[in-house]
Amino acid sequence: MDVTGDLLQADHHEFSGLERREADVDVASVAAPWRQKALLEARDVLKTSTVSATITPLRPAITSSLYSREKPFAAEVLVNQRITARESEQDVRHLEIALHESLSYEPGDALGVWPTNHPAIVDTVIGQLKLDADEVIAIGDQSLTLREWLSSKRELTRLSKSFVQQHATRFSGDDLNALLASENNEAIAQFISQQQLPDLLNRYPGEWRADELVNALRPLAPRLYSIASSRKAVGDEAHLTVSLLEYQKDENLRRGVASGFLADRDVGVQLPVFIERNERFRTPTDTSRDILMIGPGTGVAPFRGFVQERTEVGATGKNWLLFGARTAASEFLYQLEWQEALKKGQLHRLDLAFSRDQAERIYVQQRLRENAAEVFSWLENGAHLYICGAIAMGKDVHQALLDIISEHGGKSKEDASEYLSELQQVGRYAKDVY
Amino acid sequence: MSAPLSPVEILKANSHGLRGTLVESLADPITGALREGDAQLLKFHGSYQQDDRDVREERRKQKLEPAYSFMIRTRLPGGVATAKQWLDLDALATQYGNGSLRLTTRQAFQIHGIIKRNLKPTIAAINQTLMDTVAACGDVNRNVMASANPVESKAHAAVHAASVALSEHLLPHTRAYHEIWLDEKQIVGADESEPVYGPTYLPRKFKIGIAVPPINDVDVFSQDLGFIAIIENGELVGYNLLAGGGMGSTHGDARTYPRLADVLGFIRPEQLIPAAEAVLTTQRDFGNRSDRKLSRLKYTIDKHGLAWFIEEVEKRIGEKLPAARAYDFAHSGDRFGWTEGLDGRWHLTLRIESGRLIDTAKQQGLTGLREIAKIHQGDFRLTPNQNLIIAGVAKEQRDAIDRLVKQYGLDNYQHSSAMRLYALACVAFPTCTLAMAEAERYLPSFLDRVEVILKKYSLEQSPILLRISGCPNGCSRPYLGEIALVGKALGRYNLQLGADFQGRRLNRLYKENIDEAGILETLEPLLRDYASQRLDNEAFGDYLFRSGVLSAPKTIEVELVS
């Protein structure tokens, strides 16, 4: 397992990741040490790799900045531009954010964003529970009004199992308890992931005191987004590619807390950010290596940074990108930039899979399979392989790679699997899935 | 000539029979466009690469390339299509196009909004329905126009046959079209030489039209090569041969201008193709291939002189041309409503504003014509004025067709102002790459405003010929409008006044680069005075000269030879 990658994924995309794996970790004082420990373990696991001729050393860690997760930098939004066409249902934003000069990052790193809940959802919750928004609640040494707690300190869009359990005791009907008692963990997890707090309160009315509510809700966690730029190319900026999570539920508009927060940030406003390192997701130190980047959807973000970086350092290895989306006409993210990069020889190959542009659904893994011989020969030549995007895609691509290696390398399933594990151990195969 | 060849000439010469790298361009998934040279060559195959200009800037900010799509134009000599062909095109417009069909000022169909990967299936399907798109655009002979007059049944049949013969004879011989779009296997060593065109085709587009007096619906004087059918006792006895017309000009370039064709003489029916070849090859050999702005036939004639040109054409035909026969044109418009042909069949001419068939709240043009095509036993004729004739209807079918016409709001010909009935507009925004101002989309609201003035002076029933063009190239033949707006920039037009209604006198620039308020302010007093001072049956354009608003026409009262 790529533990660091999975850790990153934990917060990377809303409604997935961390709470599904650790549904009960909802207190900061527990979460922080857990993260720390997991990171250390991850590094430990990864250290066991044997040194071989093809290994590429990790870059030295960058010296720490004035700012951190706990002390975020107030970064100004320079650009907030939708990059899917008007006919696309998906609102994907390209954000450019001004960084303090001490906030350095490498392509592959993530930008942590501390979001604030939208006033509408805060008002809804307060209204549903008929609470006083100005009531002051003290927890530890923090004294804030209920509105302040709910706006910037508590999760309203992601619920924990323990919160739902507590709520069930306040709800007079039976069906919520029945669900929780079913011990069908998958069904419970799915149910929880589909409820924002107003949905739950709407469907299963129950009473809460303000202080009880604040104590029971999970602390608001920052969201991590793969940085889509290279500092060498853009200076003191970080670029993000953010898909706005937005859907209708019971005639109400529901949004992901951070993507909605980011989408609403006008140019000139500030938002609290920090850099989250991802040492396992790096361009090769040996710039003569080829790289094969598989990044459909917003998974393309880090590869924009990779291509910028490799261009700036004059890398001699070739860059091959596989991108996919639903339709070319409206969701070909950064189309003009890729066209330009191809023309200038900064990107050497671009294969595309647009799932809805023909009768049969085509995804990136199919393009990989179609180019199996070349994929294998790139790997044999020492190319580095990267996957970024949705978990399910990551699995499909992994399987395609196994089949390609098995067929073109004349290997058994086990050996193909071993081949990929070795690539992973020597830092030539990295995933950032969420 | 020492001036270097234009890049397009070099492209044509190196195109390997108009193939270029079209196959590779079509297969490239990185872009919805073709490579630059291929986009140029595509025209010869009947399609233009365009983009939705409404979203061009928005998409640039979105880091997306322009919303490229393609317009496909059929080759449809004389504008005659069967009901089956109508239904097939309708299906393509719905499946691959933007849900509309457009009838052009050259009697062809256009389907807009086809994205690259659907280009081949659409062109293949058009060929399936026994139409094609070969040479519908490009430096070749374009769609051959023929008067849509359905009343003179026998003459119309003869003229339609002539338009088909001309069109077929002047098709390029390269098999590129069949290979690229219809999967024909390339035949090694096949003779693909172009006996008429030669390896680099013509210097520029070449337009042919055949008029049947007394209706000049094809605007025969606007054609590079024109034929005026001479009918005696219902029989076609020959044609007056015309050459050198053309509408296009370039803003601010005095070397360019619209020009009316000259009458060269009379030819017998069997000389149709030799005469066409003589004119076309003279242009092929002497036309300007360095500066595409100056390469239409009209400039070739003006450069060398009409006497020289006639001599050259006669040399190529092999005999002297006798003097042209007498003819007269009553007007250049269509006759709306039902008319009975000499063969006893009935024909219904519908007004199709800007030639656009699309379903809106007011009029379900696309659906309506689809329903009509399902029951229609005759054919359809596209008129040069962007209108449509449901032709060859048996008397007992008329009611059924009338019911559908009414049901789908296609009966606007019965209650529109005369100006609205005859107005022409080119496509312009959002798809035309050349557009500088709105045309088709602007026509309805402009007419709404002008109609207020017309009503004030009781001119609603006066046919005043209005033409709007989004640029000076002249697809809507604006220089033959009594009133014409020629686009300069968004919301700004050159106001041209004073053509006649027979297509024999060009208008002239009256006010340059004005906006709507300026246009209406200028028109109102002119229309007011016209209403009170006009003579019986005096047309607006003629009035402007008689009253001295415009000084006496310096050109081209076409002489009536007898």
Side-chain angles (χ1 to χ4, degrees), chain B residues 210-503:
Chain B
I210 312 175
V212 182
I215 312 289
N216 186 21
D217 54 354
V218 301
D219 267 332
V220 72
F221 297 99
S222 73
Q223 311 285 343
D224 289 276
L225 171 59
F227 297 93
I228 298 173
I230 303 300
I231 314 282
E232 288 174 2
N233 304 319
E235 298 290 333
L236 176 76
V237 299
Y239 305 92
N240 286 344
L241 180 65
L242 286 70
M247 290 282 100
S249 68
T250 305
H251 284 313
D253 187 341
R255 300 172 306 162
T256 68
Y257 45 83
R259 184 186 189 280
L260 295 184
D262 291 300
V263 181
L264 308 183
F266 177 78
I267 59 164
R268 300 182 302 278
E270 67 272 18
Q271 288 178 303
L272 179 82
I273 283 174
E277 226 178 78
V279 171
L280 184 142
T281 56
T282 303
Q283 160 67 353
R284 176 196 69 195
D285 297 341
F286 292 94
N288 183 331
R289 290 183 185 261
S290 303
D291 186 345
R292 288 179 65 80
K293 279 183 193 153
L294 302 176
S295 49
R296 290 286 294 276
L297 175 61
K298 58 186 174 181
Y299 303 115
T300 313
I301 294 177
D302 282 350
K303 182 178 175 197
H304 296 273
L306 182 61
W308 167 87
F309 182 75
I310 293 176
E311 202 177 308
E312 187 67 34
V313 168
E314 286 175 335
K315 203 159 71 189
R316 291 173 191 235
I317 294 177
E319 60 183 77
K320 284 273 182 203
L321 293 173
R325 301 277 178 92
Y327 65 91
D328 198 12
F329 286 128
H331 62 85
S332 60
D334 291 332
R335 287 178 285 198
F336 295 98
W338 287 102
T339 50
E340 187 180 7
L342 295 178
D343 61 357
R345 308 291 282 187
W346 287 83
H347 313 287
L348 174 62
T349 305
L350 297 178
R351 168 59 182 161
I352 310 296
E353 198 164 274
S354 299
R356 180 73 70 180
L357 290 164
I358 190 167
D359 289 348
T360 65
K362 222 161 109 192
Q363 182 187 71
Q364 297 76 55
L366 199 65
T367 303
L369 263 307
R370 183 186 310 135
E371 294 307 315
I372 289 169
K374 284 179 188 168
I375 63 160
H376 180 37
Q377 310 285 320
D379 53 29
F380 291 96
R381 297 177 194 180
L382 283 59
T383 83
N385 289 303
Q386 305 174 319
N387 296 315
L388 182 66
I389 304 174
I390 301 168
V393 179
K395 197 174 177 197
E396 55 276 15
Q397 271 269 302
R398 281 182 48 176
D399 284 349
I401 290 186
D402 269 338
R403 273 194 298 277
L404 292 171
V405 163
K406 195 165 165 48
Q407 182 182 345
Y408 294 101
L410 287 158
D411 56 351
N412 49 314
Y413 72 91
Q414 292 175 338
H415 41 72
S416 294
S417 69
M419 183 184 277
R420 197 177 282 267
L421 282 180
Y422 295 106
L424 294 189
C426 68
V427 177
F429 283 95
T431 50
C432 180
T433 51
L434 300 172
M436 300 171 178
E438 296 281 356
E440 178 182 332
R441 295 197 297 195
Y442 178 48
L443 180 68
S445 70
F446 179 72
L447 277 168
D448 286 345
R449 290 178 181 86
V450 177
E451 279 171 348
V452 173
I453 300 173
L454 295 176
K455 189 156 187 224
K456 199 161 151 191
Y457 303 111
S458 303
L459 290 169
E460 301 110 300
Q461 298 314 315
S462 302
I464 298 171
L465 191 55
L466 168 71
R467 294 180 172 183
I468 302 185
S469 177
C471 82
N473 289 294
C475 290
S476 59
R477 301 190 286 274
Y479 306 105
L480 287 166
E482 294 180 283
I483 300 172
L485 312 185
V486 177
K488 282 279 276 186
L490 273 178
R492 303 192 80 86
Y493 299 86
N494 283 354
L495 177 62
Q496 307 264 143
L497 295 176
D500 61 5
F501 210 138
Q502 292 80 39

Side-chain angles (χ1 to χ4, degrees), chain A residues 402-416:
Chain A
L402 288 174
D403 294 345
I404 288 166
I405 291 159
S406 168
E407 188 188 337
H408 288 267
K411 293 182 197 303
S412 67
K413 271 185 189 172
E414 293 71 27
D415 289 350

Side-chain angles (χ1 to χ4, degrees), chain A residues 81-86 94 329 332 334-337 339 352 357, chain B residues 29-32 54-55 58-66 117:
Chain A
Q81 171 65 51
R82 180 177 164 127
I83 55 169
T84 43
R86 54 164 82 175
H94 172 76
F332 190 166
Y334 301 109
Q335 179 183 29
L336 287 177
E337 291 187 6
Q339 287 176 347
L352 300 163
D357 279 354
Chain B
I30 310 294
T31 171
D54 286 347
V55 297
E58 174 180 311
R59 289 179 60 97
R60 192 190 59 74
K61 288 186 187 150
Q62 290 166 340
K63 303 176 187 288
L64 295 167
E65 70 177 13
R117 65 170 180 276

Side-chain angles (χ1 to χ4, degrees), chain B residues 134-152:
Chain B
V134 182
C137 327
D139 296 344
V140 280
N141 168 49
R142 302 288 188 89
N143 194 41
V144 179
M145 295 172 69
S147 176
N149 173 2
V151 178
E152 297 277 352

